Amino acid sequence: MNALLTACALMLVIEGLLPLVSPQRWREVFSRILAMSDGQIRFIGLASILMGLLGLLWLR
C-alpha cells in the first residue's frame, strides 16, 4: 500500500511540472487534447497504460 501511495504522489509531482515551469505550453497541450477525438484519447490512454505496465515489469 505504501508503494502505491508513493507512486501516486510521484505521478502528481511529475504532472505538476509542466504547468509550473511553462503554463502557456501547458495550455497549448491541453487545447490540443481537447481537439482530439475520443478514439485518439483512448489510444493515448491505452499506450500510457501499456508503457506503465512494461515499466513495472522491467523494474521487477
Side-chain angles (χ1 to χ4, degrees), residues 21-50:
V21 174
S22 181
Q24 182 60 35
R25 179 73 175 135
W26 183 81
R27 280 190 193 96
E28 291 171 10
V29 169
F30 202 76
S31 67
R32 287 182 185 173
I33 292 170
L34 288 174
M36 290 180 177
S37 69
D38 287 350
Q40 290 172 313
I41 294 171
R42 283 188 179 108
F43 178 77
I44 291 171
L46 176 62
S48 296
I49 290 169
L50 292 175

